[in-house]
Amino acid sequence: MEAVVAAKPIIKVAALCGSLRKGSYNRGLIRSAIEISKGINGLHIEYIDIAPLPMLNTDLEGEGTFPPAVETFRQKIKAADSILFASPEYNYSVTAPLKNAIDWASRPPNVWGDKAAAIVSAGGGFGGGRSQYHLRQIGIYLDLHFINKPEFFLNAFQPPAKFDGDGNLIDESVNEKLKEVLISLQAFTLRLQGKQ
Ligand SMILES: Cc1cc2nc3c(=O)[nH]c(=O)nc-3n(C[C@H](O)[C@H](O)[C@H](O)COP(=O)(O)O)c2cc1C
């Protein structure tokens, strides 16, 4: 007899990367997360590119309107159930491109409100951990709700190599940890929405 797998409600995750560089390890984490999600019932992850966003300048806003790239970005965040941040650490904090994207989507009406979120990071000694704590602090005001566990900080420079030259994750044990983050984000999103 075939096993019957109960369909879960689809959770739409918007995945953002704070690094703009081509071979970004953090974007590599998102690519892996998308691959992993294909094997998770009810989880759909879309990568949202923040590179086209202009630097925030409120002079670019009209009466509740925004430049086209910002409008598109805000709509995608609004439509998502939860957010996956891949947040590199620049000088002990979040990167300027990520903060810029966060600020655009916070302009009234704030489109981050009441969404679940998870943070992963790859970087130097602390694996980007300090950017994660700053991001959590920013998220308080935006009304984002972060999963607490599991934590995911990856030291990208400690051998053996975790990424190839294109920023693709090549370490299977890290892939497993990433999967645990996604399962936790899915469960927390469903709980927040009263569906579990
Ligand atoms: C301007 C700048 C500041 C940085 N500051 C830090 C830092 O404070 N802590 C850290 O662990 N790595 C720091 N790094 C190194 C990045 O974490 C590292 O380059 C990482 O690979 C960037 O992520 P990406 O691979 O996704 O681009 C910094 C890099 C740059 C360009």
Side-chain angles (χ1 to χ4, degrees):
M1 225 168 80
E2 262 182 53
V4 179
V5 181
K8 285 192 176 175
I10 301 282
I11 295 299
K12 285 186 289 180
V13 180
L16 311 182
C17 175
S19 170
L20 302 186
R21 79 184 179 94
K22 205 151 30 101
S24 162
Y25 300 147
N26 286 275
R27 195 169 322 97
L29 293 178
I30 291 179
R31 280 195 299 277
S32 290
I34 289 171
E35 277 311 304
I36 294 165
S37 72
K38 292 175 185 167
I40 301 176
N41 183 13
L43 195 70
H44 181 263
I45 303 178
E46 184 187 357
Y47 169 64
I48 315 287
D49 189 7
I50 62 173
L53 296 172
M55 281 296 280
L56 193 135
N57 175 353
T58 52
D59 290 347
L60 301 176
E61 297 177 12
E63 298 266 326
T65 64
F66 300 91
V70 175
E71 202 72 67
T72 303
F73 176 69
R74 287 174 55 90
Q75 285 307 324
K76 289 195 174 214
I77 298 301
K78 194 173 171 199
D81 297 294
S82 50
I83 314 295
L84 176 65
F85 291 99
S87 178
E89 182 177 311
Y90 282 1
N91 298 317
Y92 280 29
S93 190
V94 297
T95 68
L98 183 59
K99 183 62 163 58
N100 186 52
I102 290 171
D103 288 345
W104 270 124
S106 77
R107 296 293 297 150
N110 168 31
V111 291
W112 300 108
D114 221 22
K115 294 185 196 291
I119 316 170
V120 295
S121 59
F126 288 98
R130 284 166 295 224
S131 82
Q132 295 204 18
Y133 291 118
H134 276 192
L135 183 49
R136 283 176 182 271
Q137 183 180 338
I138 294 163
I140 293 169
Y141 184 62
L142 300 175
D143 202 20
L144 279 166
H145 307 285
F146 293 98
I147 62 165
N148 289 329
K149 296 277 170 65
E151 294 178 310
F152 186 106
F153 313 110
L154 179 62
N155 185 328
F157 303 108
Q158 199 174 41
K162 314 287 188 305
F163 298 92
D164 69 15
D166 296 321
N168 297 307
L169 183 63
I170 52 172
D171 184 314
E172 193 43 46
S173 65
V174 176
N175 222 42
E176 277 306 309
K177 285 193 192 132
L178 197 49
K179 183 173 184 183
E180 287 166 24
V181 171
L182 299 181
I183 288 170
S184 173
L185 178 61
Q186 181 185 35
F188 188 57
T189 308
L190 290 170
R191 232 176 89 191
L192 199 61
Q193 295 181 345
K195 294 177 182 161
Q196 183 178 293

